[in-house]
Amino acid sequence: MKLLRYYYMSVFCILLIACFEDKGNYDYTELNVPVIEGIHTQEWYEKFANVDTLRINPKITCRLEESESNWEYEWLLMPIHAGYNKDSVVISEQREGYVIGREKNLVYPVKGKAGQYAGFFLVKNKITGVTYKTDFYLKLRTAIGDGWMILCEEDGKARLDMISYRAEDTNFISRDIWHGSDFPLGKPYRLFYNFNQTKSDRLVWSENGTWGLEGETLWPSQETDLALQFVESPGKVEVAGSCVCMNTTLEREILVTSAGELYMRNYYDIAIGAFFDYPRNKIEGQEVYYRLSDQIGFRPYWAWPTTTAVLFYDMDNRRFLSLENDDEFLSEVSFSSTGNVSFSAKTGKDMVHMEGNMEGYVFAVLVEPGTSEYYCYGMSLQPDCKVFCTHQVKLLPANTDRITHFAFHPLYRLLYYATEQGDVYAFNMNTPNVKAEKILSFPGEKIAVMKFNYPAPFVRYEGWEKARWNWIYIATNRDELSEHECGVVRMYDVSEITLKPKKKFEFDKFGKIVDMKYRFRGDEAITQ
């Protein structure tokens, strides 16, 4: 079957080559047949998609002396499974889509889906009109295993870049992974990644809906439209918050839409057709539905103990709500106090930011309505679904610029925040009477993302990987550059709380960055 496939590919190539114009010159002349060397014809070229550049420098010799100006060159590359007249496109137009170069020496930044490709080097004698062909083959691999998925905007459309790790000092930068795709995502909003040993979800939310990203290529498709996974398809799903949580009897996929609606389904039943059914954003036994914030407080990923509650925030009544055990609907929270810390679930404040860590804590930033007074709330999630109050302090900012982003350190009681002017501050919740300290500044740049990377359980990490759990990741967009190359990602070690951050890596020339999510090694859909 493999030989037969290559036979059909050769026939297809002959059809493509036949598109050359016939000059109508049938005089018999001695052909100066070129000998083409320097192209691997018996072994595969192997490259990483959206990372590597395919360089081939052929050597051409002729029996008779001939000027190079008499030769015309063309390089074509097409998937092994390509078929003639796909989608009823005329063959001349289809052929043009496979051209990757028209110079003698090929320099081609490889883009496209991972897979096997057939390549052709065509040398045409402009005097005789005769074309000579040399075949080669390319295996295109993916470099999008574990690493940061970077959602960008470019000319009003979504673009995906990625920083992948292979060793402590070895990184792959994949740019414009969706190059060549005309999938209508529209303006990008957010990325989601729900790691799980059984099934990991990679979702992208854009102006036209929410789609899953295929495991090996990270490409969206019509088949992965999340709207198809609802009992009553809403036409377009706008997922603003998402997580996967597990207790002792049930693992659930949780979604919060941009309208504040809550949906759930049993994660284990997805393979047999489980759907999202009806909104759950109300309290058991009541008829009123509440608009929920897209901020979800939970113990990240699959970590023990697994019976902790999941926290939500009711934007209508400015209060915390919880989802416990196998409950189908939300519950009012009765916080338990620890030490001198005690507060009501009904805070009267607006939710700004909330995140959980692997220790079982959930930290939240809330703001007094109509003011710029921020407060830090800390809650401990217990195995019996009780929630303890642990922290309540007022943020003492050291700036007058508008605050745009927040991130909590995974180990230390430190809150980091970023301002509209591109500055980053650190606030120590253990010394609440001391103002925040400026630690970084990016003049001429807008901070788009600031976060830490929480580890996934059941994935074996090297020492250098574990050290990165103390790194803060900051993505910015440079004001003076276009959306094609304005994005910058910097990584800082903040493991020493008494010292300034230590910059470890800086990567640039991404699209205009909108969001970032880390994809873990162990995602079962990855092809290694």
Side-chain angles (χ1 to χ4, degrees):
M1 291 298 293
K2 186 174 182 180
L3 291 176
L4 184 60
R5 185 174 65 213
Y6 291 152
Y7 167 77
Y8 285 128
M9 178 57 68
S10 297
V11 172
F12 183 35
C13 180
I14 291 171
L15 289 172
L16 293 177
I17 296 171
C19 290
F20 280 97
E21 182 181 359
D22 185 352
K23 300 294 185 181
N25 181 2
Y26 299 102
D27 293 337
Y28 292 95
T29 59
E30 182 178 10
L31 294 180
N32 195 16
V33 178
V35 176
I36 302 174
E37 300 175 297
I39 299 178
H40 301 313
T41 59
Q42 301 299 320
E43 57 188 53
W44 293 85
Y45 289 92
E46 294 192 15
K47 298 293 180 182
F48 283 103
N50 306 297
V51 175
D52 290 334
T53 297
L54 179 62
R55 302 175 188 273
I56 305 178
N57 300 320
K59 179 182 178 182
I60 302 175
T61 57
C62 299
R63 184 169 58 85
L64 303 176
E65 185 176 344
E66 180 131 26
S67 171
E68 280 202 14
S69 63
N70 293 339
W71 299 103
E72 194 173 70
Y73 311 102
E74 193 168 44
W75 298 84
L76 292 88
L77 187 70
M78 61 190 69
I80 291 294
H81 297 289
Y84 167 65
N85 211 18
K86 181 182 179 181
D87 299 327
S88 300
V89 178
V90 297
I91 193 170
S92 58
E93 293 181 11
Q94 188 178 174
R95 180 188 188 284
E96 189 65 25
Y98 296 127
V99 175
I100 59 173
R102 288 194 169 93
E103 301 292 332
K104 176 185 175 183
N105 295 328
L106 177 65
V107 180
Y108 173 60
V110 185
K111 296 183 179 295
K113 288 187 177 181
Q116 297 180 343
Y117 290 76
F120 308 97
F121 178 48
L122 307 179
V123 180
K124 178 182 177 182
N125 189 312
K126 292 188 287 185
I127 296 176
T128 65
V130 178
T131 298
Y132 305 90
K133 176 176 68 74
T134 298
D135 303 347
F136 63 94
Y137 298 94
L138 171 68
K139 284 183 180 178
L140 201 52
R141 300 172 59 191
T142 177
I144 52 177
D146 57 320
W148 286 97
M149 300 182 293
I150 305 171
L151 183 65
C152 306
E153 180 180 353
E154 190 173 294
D155 300 327
K157 297 181 180 179
R159 163 179 162 178
L160 187 67
D161 295 347
M162 190 162 186
I163 303 171
S164 303
Y165 301 146
R166 283 298 180 270
E168 183 174 4
D169 296 314
T170 304
N171 304 286
F172 284 131
I173 310 300
S174 302
R175 304 184 192 279
D176 200 4
I177 292 171
W178 294 332
H179 174 82
S181 170
D182 57 357
F183 195 79
L185 288 171
K187 185 180 177 68
Y189 297 138
R190 192 172 296 177
L191 278 174
F192 301 96
Y193 178 67
N194 295 323
F195 172 82
N196 187 268
Q197 282 188 305
T198 306
K199 176 184 178 296
S200 295
D201 276 345
R202 301 153 297 275
L203 301 175
V204 57
W205 171 34
S206 67
E207 67 175 318
N208 293 328
T210 304
W211 285 268
L213 302 179
E214 194 272 335
E216 184 177 351
T217 65
L218 292 183
W219 279 39
S221 66
Q222 293 293 351
E223 291 75 19
T224 61
D225 187 346
L226 202 62
L228 301 177
Q229 299 181 39
F230 281 70
V231 171
E232 295 184 6
S233 177
K236 180 173 75 171
V237 176
E238 297 183 338
V239 174
S242 175
C243 70
V244 171
C245 298
M246 180 180 176
N247 59 37
T248 53
T249 61
L250 180 66
E251 187 171 2
R252 291 191 282 200
E253 183 177 18
I254 295 172
L255 304 178
V256 176
T257 70
S258 60
E261 293 184 322
L262 171 65
Y263 290 89
M264 299 181 295
R265 64 176 172 179
N266 188 338
Y267 213 60
Y268 288 123
D269 291 343
I270 294 176
I272 59 175
F275 287 83
F276 295 106
D277 42 26
Y278 46 85
R280 312 298 183 96
N281 45 301
K282 69 174 186 176
I283 292 176
E284 183 74 50
Q286 298 183 7
E287 299 300 322
V288 179
Y289 286 85
Y290 306 108
R291 292 183 307 118
L292 300 183
S293 165
D294 59 7
Q295 303 293 309
I296 306 174
F298 67 102
R299 193 180 179 100
Y301 308 112
W302 194 356
W304 298 101
T306 57
T307 53
T308 58
V310 181
L311 295 180
F312 299 88
Y313 200 76
D314 172 5
M315 294 190 294
D316 294 326
N317 298 286
R318 295 189 172 99
R319 60 176 176 170
F320 288 99
L321 298 174
S322 71
L323 182 66
E324 301 180 5
N325 290 322
D326 301 343
D327 290 353
E328 294 293 318
F329 296 96
L330 300 170
S331 302
E332 296 186 68
V333 182
S334 296
F335 287 130
S336 300
S337 61
T338 58
N340 297 323
V341 180
S342 178
F343 52 82
S344 170
K346 191 167 185 176
T347 68
K349 299 176 176 60
D350 292 329
M351 173 62 67
V352 178
H353 178 83
M354 181 162 60
E355 61 183 88
N357 66 18
M358 297 298 290
E359 296 180 287
Y361 287 91
V362 168
F363 292 101
V365 177
L366 296 100
V367 63
E368 194 71 43
T371 74
S372 57
E373 296 182 353
Y374 292 92
Y375 294 82
C376 304
Y377 284 69
M379 295 150 281
S380 176
L381 305 181
Q382 300 298 306
D384 57 1
C385 287
K386 290 183 179 179
V387 183
F388 288 151
C389 302
T390 61
H391 298 78
Q392 185 186 22
V393 299
K394 184 177 180 179
L395 173 64
L396 290 183
N399 64 285
T400 57
D401 303 322
R402 187 172 71 90
I403 298 176
T404 56
H405 299 279
F406 292 90
F408 286 96
H409 194 289
L411 298 177
Y412 308 126
R413 299 299 169 253
L414 295 174
L415 170 64
Y416 296 84
Y417 67 86
T419 70
E420 193 173 36
Q421 298 303 313
D423 298 324
V424 177
Y425 293 79
F427 175 68
N428 192 334
M429 292 189 291
N430 291 326
T431 56
N433 295 324
V434 179
K435 281 190 174 183
E437 177 187 359
K438 183 191 289 190
I439 59 171
L440 293 168
S441 185
F442 306 101
E445 302 181 30
K446 295 292 189 298
I447 295 177
V449 183
M450 184 176 69
K451 62 179 57 179
F452 288 86
N453 174 32
Y454 293 115
F458 306 114
V459 176
R460 179 173 295 179
Y461 296 101
E462 302 293 336
W464 62 268
E465 292 176 295
K466 294 179 181 179
R468 297 188 181 198
W469 300 343
N470 287 301
W471 289 14
I472 190 169
Y473 300 83
I474 301 175
T476 67
N477 295 306
R478 288 176 170 153
D479 296 336
E480 78 277 7
L481 297 180
S482 71
E483 291 182 349
H484 302 278
E485 58 177 2
C486 66
V488 184
V489 175
R490 298 179 178 93
M491 305 175 182
Y492 295 88
D493 185 354
V494 289
S495 58
E496 299 292 339
I497 62 175
T498 59
L499 301 177
K500 293 288 185 180
K502 299 176 183 177
K503 187 165 73 171
K504 308 299 290 188
F505 291 104
E506 178 176 329
F507 307 98
D508 60 3
K509 297 189 182 303
F510 298 106
K512 180 183 176 183
I513 298 175
V514 175
D515 197 9
M516 289 172 52
K517 281 292 181 182
Y518 192 86
R519 181 186 188 184
F520 294 112
R521 184 173 69 252
D523 186 339
E524 80 294 336
I526 298 174
T527 298
Q528 299 291 352

Short mmCIF file of all heavy atoms in Angstrom, two decimals, residues 65-110:
data_model
loop_
_atom_site.label_atom_id
_atom_site.label_comp_id
_atom_site.label_asym_id
_atom_site.label_seq_id
_atom_site.Cartn_x
_atom_site.Cartn_y
_atom_site.Cartn_z
N GLU A 65 28.80 22.32 -21.76
CA GLU A 65 28.89 23.58 -21.03
C GLU A 65 27.63 24.40 -21.28
O GLU A 65 27.17 24.54 -22.40
CB GLU A 65 30.12 24.36 -21.50
CG GLU A 65 30.35 25.64 -20.69
CD GLU A 65 31.63 26.34 -21.10
OE1 GLU A 65 32.48 25.72 -21.77
OE2 GLU A 65 31.76 27.53 -20.74
N GLU A 66 27.09 24.92 -20.19
CA GLU A 66 25.83 25.66 -20.31
C GLU A 66 25.78 26.75 -19.25
O GLU A 66 26.17 26.53 -18.09
CB GLU A 66 24.64 24.72 -20.16
CG GLU A 66 23.30 25.43 -20.28
CD GLU A 66 22.36 24.72 -21.24
OE1 GLU A 66 22.50 23.51 -21.44
OE2 GLU A 66 21.51 25.41 -21.81
N SER A 67 25.27 27.92 -19.60
CA SER A 67 25.16 29.03 -18.66
C SER A 67 24.02 28.78 -17.68
O SER A 67 22.95 28.28 -18.06
CB SER A 67 24.91 30.33 -19.42
OG SER A 67 24.60 31.37 -18.51
N GLU A 68 24.24 29.13 -16.41
CA GLU A 68 23.20 28.94 -15.39
C GLU A 68 21.99 29.80 -15.68
O GLU A 68 20.89 29.52 -15.21
CB GLU A 68 23.75 29.27 -14.00
CG GLU A 68 24.57 28.15 -13.39
CD GLU A 68 24.63 28.26 -11.86
OE1 GLU A 68 23.84 29.03 -11.28
OE2 GLU A 68 25.46 27.57 -11.28
N SER A 69 22.17 30.86 -16.48
CA SER A 69 21.03 31.71 -16.80
C SER A 69 20.01 31.00 -17.69
O SER A 69 18.88 31.47 -17.84
CB SER A 69 21.51 32.99 -17.50
OG SER A 69 22.15 32.67 -18.74
N ASN A 70 20.40 29.84 -18.23
CA ASN A 70 19.47 29.07 -19.07
C ASN A 70 18.54 28.19 -18.24
O ASN A 70 17.64 27.56 -18.80
CB ASN A 70 20.25 28.19 -20.05
CG ASN A 70 21.01 29.02 -21.08
OD1 ASN A 70 20.66 30.17 -21.32
ND2 ASN A 70 22.03 28.44 -21.68
N TRP A 71 18.79 28.12 -16.93
CA TRP A 71 18.01 27.20 -16.10
C TRP A 71 16.98 27.97 -15.26
O TRP A 71 17.22 29.10 -14.83
CB TRP A 71 18.93 26.38 -15.19
CG TRP A 71 19.91 25.52 -15.93
CD1 TRP A 71 21.24 25.75 -16.11
CD2 TRP A 71 19.61 24.30 -16.59
NE1 TRP A 71 21.81 24.74 -16.85
CE2 TRP A 71 20.83 23.82 -17.16
CE3 TRP A 71 18.47 23.53 -16.78
CZ2 TRP A 71 20.93 22.64 -17.89
CZ3 TRP A 71 18.55 22.35 -17.49
CH2 TRP A 71 19.76 21.92 -18.05
N GLU A 72 15.88 27.32 -15.04
CA GLU A 72 14.81 27.86 -14.20
C GLU A 72 14.50 26.81 -13.14
O GLU A 72 14.42 25.61 -13.43
CB GLU A 72 13.57 28.12 -15.07
CG GLU A 72 12.52 28.98 -14.43
CD GLU A 72 11.41 29.32 -15.42
OE1 GLU A 72 10.64 28.39 -15.78
OE2 GLU A 72 11.35 30.47 -15.87
N TYR A 73 14.30 27.26 -11.87
CA TYR A 73 14.17 26.31 -10.76
C TYR A 73 12.82 26.47 -10.06
O TYR A 73 12.24 27.56 -10.03
CB TYR A 73 15.29 26.53 -9.73
CG TYR A 73 16.67 26.60 -10.34
CD1 TYR A 73 17.30 27.84 -10.52
CD2 TYR A 73 17.34 25.45 -10.74
CE1 TYR A 73 18.56 27.92 -11.08
CE2 TYR A 73 18.61 25.52 -11.30
CZ TYR A 73 19.21 26.76 -11.47
OH TYR A 73 20.47 26.83 -12.02
N GLU A 74 12.38 25.37 -9.48
CA GLU A 74 11.15 25.41 -8.69
C GLU A 74 11.16 24.25 -7.71
O GLU A 74 11.54 23.12 -8.03
CB GLU A 74 9.91 25.32 -9.60
CG GLU A 74 8.62 25.67 -8.88
CD GLU A 74 7.47 25.87 -9.84
OE1 GLU A 74 7.34 25.06 -10.77
OE2 GLU A 74 6.71 26.84 -9.67
N TRP A 75 10.74 24.56 -6.46
CA TRP A 75 10.63 23.55 -5.40
C TRP A 75 9.16 23.41 -5.02
O TRP A 75 8.46 24.41 -4.84
CB TRP A 75 11.42 23.98 -4.17
CG TRP A 75 12.90 24.12 -4.38
CD1 TRP A 75 13.56 25.20 -4.88
CD2 TRP A 75 13.90 23.15 -4.09
NE1 TRP A 75 14.92 24.98 -4.91
CE2 TRP A 75 15.16 23.72 -4.43
CE3 TRP A 75 13.89 21.85 -3.57
CZ2 TRP A 75 16.36 23.04 -4.26
CZ3 TRP A 75 15.08 21.17 -3.40
CH2 TRP A 75 16.30 21.75 -3.74
N LEU A 76 8.70 22.16 -4.90
CA LEU A 76 7.33 21.90 -4.47
C LEU A 76 7.36 20.94 -3.28
O LEU A 76 8.23 20.08 -3.18
CB LEU A 76 6.48 21.28 -5.57
CG LEU A 76 6.14 22.16 -6.78
CD1 LEU A 76 7.22 22.07 -7.84
CD2 LEU A 76 4.79 21.75 -7.36
N LEU A 77 6.40 21.13 -2.36
CA LEU A 77 6.27 20.25 -1.20
C LEU A 77 4.79 20.03 -0.95
O LEU A 77 4.02 20.98 -0.85
CB LEU A 77 6.92 20.90 0.03
CG LEU A 77 7.02 20.03 1.28
CD1 LEU A 77 8.03 18.91 1.07
CD2 LEU A 77 7.44 20.89 2.49
N MET A 78 4.39 18.76 -0.84
CA MET A 78 2.97 18.46 -0.64
C MET A 78 2.82 17.26 0.28
O MET A 78 3.70 16.39 0.35
CB MET A 78 2.28 18.18 -1.97
CG MET A 78 2.84 17.00 -2.74
SD MET A 78 2.17 16.89 -4.41
CE MET A 78 2.94 18.33 -5.17
N PRO A 79 1.72 17.20 1.04
CA PRO A 79 1.48 16.05 1.92
C PRO A 79 1.41 14.76 1.11
O PRO A 79 0.92 14.75 -0.02
CB PRO A 79 0.13 16.37 2.58
CG PRO A 79 -0.03 17.84 2.42
CD PRO A 79 0.65 18.20 1.14
N ILE A 80 1.91 13.68 1.69
CA ILE A 80 1.87 12.38 1.02
C ILE A 80 0.44 12.02 0.65
O ILE A 80 0.18 11.41 -0.38
CB ILE A 80 2.47 11.29 1.93
CG1 ILE A 80 3.98 11.49 2.07
CG2 ILE A 80 2.17 9.90 1.39
CD1 ILE A 80 4.77 11.29 0.81
N HIS A 81 -0.51 12.42 1.48
CA HIS A 81 -1.91 12.05 1.24
C HIS A 81 -2.65 13.06 0.38
O HIS A 81 -3.87 13.00 0.26
CB HIS A 81 -2.65 11.90 2.58
CG HIS A 81 -2.11 10.80 3.43
ND1 HIS A 81 -2.28 9.48 3.13
CD2 HIS A 81 -1.37 10.85 4.57
CE1 HIS A 81 -1.68 8.75 4.06
NE2 HIS A 81 -1.13 9.55 4.95
N ALA A 82 -1.95 14.00 -0.22
CA ALA A 82 -2.62 14.99 -1.07
C ALA A 82 -3.27 14.30 -2.26
O ALA A 82 -2.79 13.31 -2.78
CB ALA A 82 -1.61 16.02 -1.57
N GLY A 83 -4.38 14.83 -2.69
CA GLY A 83 -5.10 14.23 -3.81
C GLY A 83 -5.33 15.24 -4.91
O GLY A 83 -5.35 16.44 -4.69
N TYR A 84 -5.54 14.76 -6.11
CA TYR A 84 -5.74 15.65 -7.26
C TYR A 84 -7.07 16.37 -7.16
O TYR A 84 -8.10 15.81 -6.80
CB TYR A 84 -5.70 14.83 -8.56
CG TYR A 84 -6.21 15.60 -9.75
CD1 TYR A 84 -5.53 16.72 -10.22
CD2 TYR A 84 -7.39 15.23 -10.38
CE1 TYR A 84 -6.01 17.45 -11.29
CE2 TYR A 84 -7.88 15.94 -11.46
CZ TYR A 84 -7.18 17.05 -11.91
OH TYR A 84 -7.66 17.77 -12.97
N ASN A 85 -7.04 17.64 -7.53
CA ASN A 85 -8.25 18.47 -7.65
C ASN A 85 -9.06 18.51 -6.37
O ASN A 85 -10.28 18.43 -6.38
CB ASN A 85 -9.13 17.96 -8.80
CG ASN A 85 -9.90 19.11 -9.43
OD1 ASN A 85 -9.56 20.26 -9.27
ND2 ASN A 85 -10.94 18.77 -10.16
N LYS A 86 -8.34 18.63 -5.26
CA LYS A 86 -9.00 18.70 -3.97
C LYS A 86 -9.94 19.89 -3.93
O LYS A 86 -9.60 20.99 -4.32
CB LYS A 86 -7.96 18.81 -2.87
CG LYS A 86 -8.52 18.88 -1.47
CD LYS A 86 -7.39 19.02 -0.47
CE LYS A 86 -7.92 19.12 0.93
NZ LYS A 86 -6.82 19.30 1.92
N ASP A 87 -11.15 19.65 -3.41
CA ASP A 87 -12.16 20.70 -3.25
C ASP A 87 -12.47 21.41 -4.57
O ASP A 87 -12.79 22.60 -4.60
CB ASP A 87 -11.73 21.72 -2.20
CG ASP A 87 -11.54 21.09 -0.83
OD1 ASP A 87 -12.27 20.14 -0.54
OD2 ASP A 87 -10.68 21.56 -0.07
N SER A 88 -12.30 20.72 -5.69
CA SER A 88 -12.63 21.25 -7.01
C SER A 88 -11.80 22.46 -7.40
O SER A 88 -12.19 23.26 -8.23
CB SER A 88 -14.13 21.60 -7.10
OG SER A 88 -14.91 20.45 -6.86
N VAL A 89 -10.62 22.62 -6.81
CA VAL A 89 -9.72 23.71 -7.19
C VAL A 89 -9.01 23.30 -8.47
O VAL A 89 -8.51 22.18 -8.59
CB VAL A 89 -8.70 23.99 -6.07
CG1 VAL A 89 -7.73 25.09 -6.49
CG2 VAL A 89 -9.43 24.38 -4.78
N VAL A 90 -8.95 24.21 -9.42
CA VAL A 90 -8.28 23.87 -10.68
C VAL A 90 -6.83 23.53 -10.38
O VAL A 90 -6.20 24.09 -9.48
CB VAL A 90 -8.37 25.03 -11.69
CG1 VAL A 90 -9.81 25.28 -12.07
CG2 VAL A 90 -7.73 26.29 -11.14
N ILE A 91 -6.27 22.61 -11.14
CA ILE A 91 -4.96 22.06 -10.82
C ILE A 91 -3.85 23.10 -10.84
O ILE A 91 -2.91 23.04 -10.05
CB ILE A 91 -4.62 20.88 -11.77
CG1 ILE A 91 -3.42 20.11 -11.22
CG2 ILE A 91 -4.36 21.37 -13.18
CD1 ILE A 91 -3.19 18.80 -11.95
N SER A 92 -3.96 24.10 -11.71
CA SER A 92 -2.92 25.12 -11.76
C SER A 92 -2.89 25.93 -10.46
O SER A 92 -1.81 26.27 -9.95
CB SER A 92 -3.14 26.05 -12.95
OG SER A 92 -4.41 26.66 -12.88
N GLU A 93 -4.07 26.22 -9.90
CA GLU A 93 -4.13 26.95 -8.63
C GLU A 93 -3.65 26.08 -7.49
O GLU A 93 -2.95 26.53 -6.58
CB GLU A 93 -5.55 27.45 -8.37
CG GLU A 93 -6.03 28.51 -9.35
CD GLU A 93 -7.42 29.00 -9.03
OE1 GLU A 93 -7.93 28.65 -7.93
OE2 GLU A 93 -8.01 29.69 -9.85
N GLN A 94 -4.05 24.81 -7.51
CA GLN A 94 -3.63 23.90 -6.45
C GLN A 94 -2.11 23.72 -6.46
O GLN A 94 -1.47 23.68 -5.42
CB GLN A 94 -4.32 22.54 -6.61
CG GLN A 94 -4.07 21.61 -5.44
CD GLN A 94 -4.80 20.30 -5.56
OE1 GLN A 94 -4.61 19.42 -4.76
NE2 GLN A 94 -5.64 20.14 -6.57
N ARG A 95 -1.56 23.64 -7.66
CA ARG A 95 -0.12 23.47 -7.80
C ARG A 95 0.63 24.65 -7.19
O ARG A 95 1.64 24.47 -6.50
CB ARG A 95 0.23 23.34 -9.29
CG ARG A 95 1.71 23.16 -9.56
CD ARG A 95 1.95 23.24 -11.05
NE ARG A 95 3.31 22.88 -11.38
CZ ARG A 95 4.37 23.65 -11.19
NH1 ARG A 95 4.22 24.84 -10.63
NH2 ARG A 95 5.57 23.24 -11.50
N GLU A 96 0.12 25.85 -7.39
CA GLU A 96 0.78 27.04 -6.87
C GLU A 96 0.86 27.01 -5.35
O GLU A 96 1.81 27.53 -4.76
CB GLU A 96 0.03 28.29 -7.35
CG GLU A 96 0.74 29.60 -7.07
CD GLU A 96 2.05 29.74 -7.83
OE1 GLU A 96 2.19 29.11 -8.90
OE2 GLU A 96 2.93 30.49 -7.35
N GLY A 97 -0.12 26.39 -4.71
CA GLY A 97 -0.12 26.30 -3.25
C GLY A 97 0.97 25.41 -2.69
O GLY A 97 1.27 25.47 -1.49
N TYR A 98 1.57 24.57 -3.54
CA TYR A 98 2.63 23.67 -3.08
C TYR A 98 4.03 24.22 -3.36
O TYR A 98 5.02 23.62 -2.95
CB TYR A 98 2.49 22.31 -3.77
CG TYR A 98 1.22 21.57 -3.41
CD1 TYR A 98 0.36 21.09 -4.39
CD2 TYR A 98 0.88 21.35 -2.08
CE1 TYR A 98 -0.80 20.40 -4.06
CE2 TYR A 98 -0.28 20.66 -1.74
CZ TYR A 98 -1.11 20.19 -2.74
OH TYR A 98 -2.25 19.52 -2.39
N VAL A 99 4.13 25.35 -4.04
CA VAL A 99 5.44 25.91 -4.36
C VAL A 99 6.05 26.53 -3.11
O VAL A 99 5.42 27.36 -2.44
CB VAL A 99 5.34 26.96 -5.48
CG1 VAL A 99 6.68 27.63 -5.71
CG2 VAL A 99 4.83 26.32 -6.76
N ILE A 100 7.31 26.15 -2.79
CA ILE A 100 7.97 26.67 -1.60
C ILE A 100 9.25 27.44 -1.95
O ILE A 100 9.93 27.95 -1.06
CB ILE A 100 8.30 25.55 -0.60
CG1 ILE A 100 9.21 24.51 -1.24
CG2 ILE A 100 7.02 24.93 -0.07
CD1 ILE A 100 9.71 23.47 -0.25
N GLY A 101 9.61 27.51 -3.23
CA GLY A 101 10.80 28.25 -3.60
C GLY A 101 11.03 28.24 -5.10
O GLY A 101 10.62 27.30 -5.79
N ARG A 102 11.70 29.28 -5.60
CA ARG A 102 12.02 29.35 -7.03
C ARG A 102 13.48 29.78 -7.25
O ARG A 102 13.83 30.28 -8.30
CB ARG A 102 11.07 30.31 -7.75
CG ARG A 102 9.64 29.75 -7.90
CD ARG A 102 8.82 30.56 -8.90
NE ARG A 102 7.58 29.90 -9.23
CZ ARG A 102 6.42 30.11 -8.62
NH1 ARG A 102 6.35 30.98 -7.62
NH2 ARG A 102 5.33 29.46 -9.00
N GLU A 103 14.29 29.58 -6.22
CA GLU A 103 15.72 29.80 -6.34
C GLU A 103 16.42 28.45 -6.38
O GLU A 103 15.86 27.43 -5.96
CB GLU A 103 16.24 30.64 -5.17
CG GLU A 103 15.61 32.01 -5.04
CD GLU A 103 15.97 32.93 -6.18
OE1 GLU A 103 17.07 32.74 -6.75
OE2 GLU A 103 15.18 33.84 -6.50
N LYS A 104 17.66 28.45 -6.87
CA LYS A 104 18.40 27.19 -6.93
C LYS A 104 18.58 26.59 -5.55
O LYS A 104 18.35 25.38 -5.35
CB LYS A 104 19.77 27.42 -7.59
CG LYS A 104 20.65 26.17 -7.62
CD LYS A 104 22.02 26.49 -8.19
CE LYS A 104 22.94 25.27 -8.09
NZ LYS A 104 24.30 25.57 -8.57
N ASN A 105 18.99 27.39 -4.60
CA ASN A 105 19.19 26.92 -3.23
C ASN A 105 17.92 27.18 -2.42
O ASN A 105 17.40 28.29 -2.39
CB ASN A 105 20.38 27.63 -2.59
CG ASN A 105 21.69 27.29 -3.27
OD1 ASN A 105 21.87 26.17 -3.76
ND2 ASN A 105 22.62 28.23 -3.30
N LEU A 106 17.43 26.13 -1.76
CA LEU A 106 16.19 26.22 -1.01
C LEU A 106 16.46 26.68 0.42
O LEU A 106 17.28 26.09 1.13
CB LEU A 106 15.48 24.87 -0.98
CG LEU A 106 14.18 24.80 -0.17
CD1 LEU A 106 13.10 25.69 -0.79
CD2 LEU A 106 13.67 23.37 -0.05
N VAL A 107 15.76 27.71 0.85
CA VAL A 107 15.75 28.16 2.24
C VAL A 107 14.29 28.35 2.61
O VAL A 107 13.68 29.38 2.28
CB VAL A 107 16.54 29.47 2.43
CG1 VAL A 107 16.51 29.88 3.90
CG2 VAL A 107 17.98 29.32 1.95
N TYR A 108 13.72 27.37 3.30
CA TYR A 108 12.27 27.36 3.53
C TYR A 108 11.98 27.15 5.01
O TYR A 108 12.18 26.06 5.55
CB TYR A 108 11.62 26.25 2.71
CG TYR A 108 10.15 26.05 3.00
CD1 TYR A 108 9.23 27.08 2.82
CD2 TYR A 108 9.67 24.82 3.46
CE1 TYR A 108 7.89 26.91 3.10
CE2 TYR A 108 8.32 24.63 3.74
CZ TYR A 108 7.44 25.68 3.55
OH TYR A 108 6.11 25.51 3.83
N PRO A 109 11.50 28.19 5.74
CA PRO A 109 11.04 28.01 7.12
C PRO A 109 9.81 27.10 7.11
O PRO A 109 8.75 27.49 6.61
CB PRO A 109 10.68 29.43 7.59
CG PRO A 109 11.39 30.33 6.62
CD PRO A 109 11.41 29.59 5.31
N VAL A 110 9.94 25.91 7.65
CA VAL A 110 8.93 24.88 7.48
C VAL A 110 7.70 25.20 8.33
O VAL A 110 7.79 25.42 9.53
CB VAL A 110 9.49 23.50 7.89
CG1 VAL A 110 8.45 22.42 7.59
CG2 VAL A 110 10.77 23.21 7.13
#
